[in-house]
Amino acid sequence: MNRRCKTALNICSALLILLLVMHGRARAHRINILAWQEGDHFTARVYWTDGKPVAEAGLEVTAPDGSVVFRSRTGKDGLCSFRLHKPGKYRLAARASMGHAAETRIDFPANTAIPVHSGNTGQGGPEPLHPVSSQVAAGMASGPVTHGCARHCGEKSGCGCITALQLKAILDSRLRPIMREIALTRAESRKISPENVIAGLGYIAGLAGIALWASSRKHNGK
Amino acid sequence: MHISEGILSAPLLAAGWAATAGGLAAGLKRMNAEKIPETALLTAAFFVASLIHVPIGPSNAHLALNGLAGILLGWSAFPAIFTALMLQAVLFQFGGITTLGVNTFNMAMPAVAAGYIAAPFLRSGRKSIAVACSGITGAMSLLASAFLVALTLALAGESFSSIAGMIFIAHLPVAAIEGVVTGGAVSFILKTKPDLLKRRA
């Protein structure tokens, strides 16, 4: 290796070491999207790979038939909630500034859909998540849980029985933090790992080696 | 400045690939055995530099070092940046494979231009002028890349004025850092091995 190559090697090695040291506070330049279900509501979270929320990201939900059923923007926390009314597999796309985009698929199974009242067009808006009333929560704690209240106790007021719908609301409420935790864990797992950075540098070294080998073969006239 | 999949139209993607193919051909043609280690090291620098991000408002910007690559490599900046962007797309899902052509062109073309602009100043023999011009061209090449990204997004249907304004504002502090890094690197090379700059491809 001549002096020119050695100098280039020294300069770039110093630069690389500096950049690798700085990698500890690196931010990834990619947006991700996660969505989790809470009953008939979905919450989408748009975030940079380091976990920071993407504010004001455009969000679009496309139904299986290709129609856009929901369009909104995330808040400062990168979150956006919406309600779906028809079961199916939806496409959820997020778009942030400067050409950043991400998408995911959400499955809304038929058995979790809540019947829609007449007059609902299926165009959901960003709605707050259902709070579970203290009465419902108290009902779960104080009485038996059944799916046929009328059959068991004749719809007596204050009997402590709850309906299937109320049970579902309670479960959604209890599962909400778990679903959020799973989503955050997934977000954590999508961060850039030092292993990937080293792998990339390894690929570059390998490609350079191949190029040098090809060059030497050409030089030797083989 | 990695444009993601699903944003650009097919003609734009094809145009990006065509332009990048031309740049790659020119770069590979000028790359000799001596240039390969230098190109590989600047590829690695570009690959890692893009991970250093500066949060600005609702978005964030990252270092690129494309100006430095252009000053040191000339047309060989095309294969260097192409390789780095491809690895970023595969390993980190930055940008995308279909947008690789456009993203490479947006980053590499200003780099090559920076190399040509800085070349006469580097040969002038006056170190202060050479360092200052390298720093300025390093910063300008990043802003030129930002301009090309804004132009690409405008061609994809977004409002050019709003996108360009946002991208320029987002990249001004990063451009300043790029200028300092590029000027510093050139200053060091001028001290240790000035031939490296005079004999670039």
Side-chain angles (χ1 to χ4, degrees):
Chain A
M1 190 182 289
N2 63 19
R3 281 186 65 196
R4 187 175 178 225
C5 289
K6 279 182 184 170
T7 310
L9 187 71
N10 289 338
I11 294 163
C12 293
S13 300
L15 198 60
L16 277 177
I17 289 164
L18 178 71
L19 292 171
L20 280 170
V21 168
M22 289 172 75
H23 177 253
R25 57 188 184 81
R27 290 171 61 95
H29 210 57
R30 182 186 79 210
I31 64 166
N32 299 287
I33 184 167
L34 277 175
W36 60 92
Q37 188 179 358
E38 298 167 6
D40 61 338
H41 283 84
F42 283 82
T43 299
R45 180 170 184 264
V46 186
Y47 59 98
W48 299 104
T49 308
D50 67 348
K52 298 271 170 59
V54 181
E56 292 294 311
L59 205 69
E60 200 174 86
V61 182
T62 309
D65 62 2
S67 60
V68 176
V69 295
F70 176 75
R71 196 176 274 142
S72 185
R73 288 192 172 272
T74 57
K76 286 181 180 176
D77 52 5
L79 295 173
C80 185
S81 295
F82 55 92
R83 175 181 241 171
L84 296 176
H85 300 293
K86 291 179 184 173
K89 292 189 176 181
Y90 291 78
R91 175 177 164 270
L92 182 58
R95 190 161 171 178
S97 59
M98 293 196 276
H100 296 112
E103 71 170 61
T104 188
R105 299 267 169 190
I106 49 176
D107 191 7
F108 185 34
N111 59 358
T112 59
I114 291 177
V116 180
H117 297 294
S118 60
N120 196 317
T121 59
Q123 298 284 331
E127 303 169 28
L129 299 174
H130 285 311
V132 176
S133 70
S134 57
Q135 284 177 325
V136 172
M140 190 179 81
S142 62
V145 175
T146 69
H147 287 274
C149 191
R151 190 175 47 185
H152 282 268
C153 58
E155 290 182 329
K156 287 177 185 172
S157 175
C159 67
C161 297
I162 58 172
T163 64
L165 206 61
Q166 288 171 322
L167 174 64
K168 188 174 178 311
I170 293 165
L171 285 173
D172 285 345
S173 164
R174 294 295 168 103
L175 288 173
R176 190 172 300 149
I178 298 168
M179 298 299 280
R180 279 178 194 267
E181 196 63 36
I182 291 170
L184 290 172
T185 306
R186 282 186 191 158
E188 189 71 22
S189 69
R190 288 185 190 177
K191 283 185 180 177
I192 293 170
S193 66
E195 289 85 354
N196 273 349
V197 177
I198 292 164
L201 296 176
Y203 278 118
I204 292 166
L207 287 170
I210 291 167
L212 281 170
W213 173 73
S215 175
S216 70
R217 278 178 66 88
K218 191 178 170 185
H219 184 72
N220 294 333
K222 289 182 182 175
Chain B
M1 282 192 280
H2 302 79
I3 297 176
S4 301
E5 305 271 19
I7 288 179
L8 304 180
S9 62
L12 266 176
L13 293 172
W17 274 107
T20 293
L24 283 173
L28 291 171
K29 193 178 173 185
R30 288 165 170 80
M31 198 188 297
N32 53 31
E34 278 190 354
K35 207 78 185 168
I36 291 169
E38 196 180 329
T39 306
L41 286 165
L42 278 156
T43 303
F46 184 92
F47 172 73
V48 181
S50 298
L51 299 174
I52 311 298
H53 283 243
V54 181
I56 295 148
S59 187
N60 62 42
H62 59 82
L63 289 178
L65 298 182
N66 58 336
L68 181 62
I71 289 167
L72 290 174
L73 301 176
W75 279 97
S76 298
F78 258 95
I81 289 171
F82 176 81
T83 308
L85 288 178
M86 185 177 63
L87 287 170
Q88 286 178 352
V90 172
L91 294 172
F92 310 142
Q93 288 78 54
F94 288 3
I97 297 297
T98 61
T99 55
L100 191 56
V102 169
N103 285 335
T104 302
F105 181 80
N106 287 346
M107 296 303 293
M109 201 59 232
V112 173
Y116 277 111
I117 292 166
F121 298 103
L122 292 170
R123 292 195 195 101
S124 69
R126 296 183 66 182
K127 193 189 161 194
S128 55
I129 289 177
V131 170
C133 287
S134 300
I136 291 166
T137 49
M140 291 306 292
S141 67
L142 184 77
L143 293 177
S145 291
F147 174 81
L148 287 176
V149 171
L151 191 65
T152 309
L153 292 173
L155 289 171
E158 295 197 21
S159 161
F160 177 76
S161 54
S162 61
I163 291 286
M166 180 185 287
I167 291 181
F168 265 101
I169 291 166
H171 285 88
L172 276 175
V174 188
I177 297 168
E178 289 257 343
V180 171
V181 172
T182 307
V186 168
S187 172
F188 181 74
I189 295 167
L190 281 171
K191 270 184 196 169
T192 53
K193 187 69 179 170
D195 288 351
L196 196 68
L197 293 162
K198 289 176 184 170
R199 290 190 298 174
R200 69 176 187 81

